[in-house]
Amino acid sequence: MSISRFITKPLARAISKSILEEGSVFSPLSLFAGGQNGLWTSQMDLSTLYLEDAGTTPVTADGDPEGLIQDKSGNGNDGSQSTTSLKPTFRTNGTANWAEYASDLIDHGAISGLGPCTYFIAIRTTQAVGQTCITSGTANEDPFLFVTSSASTSTSVSSGYGTVTIRVDGAEQVAPTRDSLFTAICDGQWHVVEVDATTPQEQTFVGGKETVMFAGDIGELIIAEGVSESDKAKTRQYIADIYEVAL
């Protein structure tokens, strides 16, 4: 199977659906057109994925480790991992691509000066025990963007990111608990998770922490400042089109 199919087929579908009212094609790059801080990583673009953190050898096939995931936003907030055992694995079904995490960790460093922003994450997981996929520390301590955990009634679903609003496939999670987020997200299907954070952490790790490591798949990841409600809807749809999520 050609690598070009990994890229062009799903992107063509996304382009055909993610159209603005005025007829132009939406791209997440537009979220950064005014110099907004943040990052955009895409598993659909193999030209941004490398086996080593030095970015020497490109990812070319299902099962390749990912040592470098380049930022497409223009802000230079690349994510990397030099330890082989901690690198996520590139996966594809020929239509969509994603990174498979199993106690793996990608370090995007500090997004210096990051203001109030929205996190958009394509997620697929079934893990029942406590897990989080975005943190600002590798140790088992605060802060974390959000946590899912089966049978946990804890309302401490986020810590250290200020006031957060969480949406799953466009639906706001009202007074969420860790268990309600587990029910909404951890069913083995792709979901588009959005989190508005008033005081986001600059240090950004993808993959979780020591005892709440993320186990599952991550596709598109976008962090952008000052996203309008209109652009949130367009970004949500853009990601949903790639991973065939019904909004």
Side-chain angles (χ1 to χ4, degrees), residues 4 14 28 32 50 52 84 120 129 136 154 159 162 178 184 188 201 209:
S4 62
F32 308 95
Y50 293 86
E52 316 92 348
T84 299
F120 300 88
V129 298
S136 63
S154 173
S159 180
R178 296 184 180 190
Q201 297 289 323
K209 300 182 178 180

Side-chain angles (χ1 to χ4, degrees), residues 27-29 32 39-45 47-48 69-78 220 238:
S27 167
L29 190 60
F32 308 95
L39 64 82
W40 169 28
T41 61
S42 176
Q43 295 293 312
M44 305 308 299
D45 185 353
S47 70
T48 66
I69 305 175
Q70 292 181 327
D71 176 16
K72 291 168 61 73
S73 75
N75 286 302
N77 294 311
D78 299 342
E220 300 284 302
Y238 178 89

Side-chain angles (χ1 to χ4, degrees), residues 95-141:
T95 299
N97 307 337
W98 60 90
E100 179 183 77
Y101 284 76
S103 297
D104 303 312
L105 187 70
I106 289 291
D107 180 3
H108 284 275
I111 305 177
S112 181
L114 184 64
C117 65
T118 302
Y119 295 75
F120 300 88
I121 317 162
I123 290 179
R124 180 172 61 180
T125 182
T126 59
Q127 181 164 300
V129 298
Q131 65 174 339
T132 182
C133 66
I134 302 288
T135 70
S136 63
T138 55
N140 183 31
E141 58 186 18

Side-chain angles (χ1 to χ4, degrees), residues 85-204:
S85 63
L86 295 178
K87 293 179 180 179
T89 303
F90 174 78
R91 295 295 186 191
T92 183
N93 61 12
T95 299
N97 307 337
W98 60 90
E100 179 183 77
Y101 284 76
S103 297
D104 303 312
L105 187 70
I106 289 291
D107 180 3
H108 284 275
I111 305 177
S112 181
L114 184 64
C117 65
T118 302
Y119 295 75
F120 300 88
I121 317 162
I123 290 179
R124 180 172 61 180
T125 182
T126 59
Q127 181 164 300
V129 298
Q131 65 174 339
T132 182
C133 66
I134 302 288
T135 70
S136 63
T138 55
N140 183 31
E141 58 186 18
D142 295 345
F144 49 85
L145 184 63
F146 69 92
V147 170
T148 63
S149 183
S150 176
S152 171
T153 60
S154 173
T155 57
S156 179
V157 296
S158 180
S159 180
Y161 286 77
T163 301
V164 300
T165 300
I166 302 174
R167 300 179 187 86
V168 179
D169 302 334
E172 183 174 342
Q173 305 299 294
V174 180
T177 64
R178 296 184 180 190
D179 181 68
S180 70
L181 290 181
F182 165 80
T183 300
I185 297 171
C186 305
D187 59 359
Q189 304 298 314
W190 280 107
H191 294 285
V192 182
V193 178
E194 295 169 58
V195 183
D196 294 330
T198 58
T199 56
Q201 297 289 323
E202 294 183 348
Q203 190 70 40
T204 303

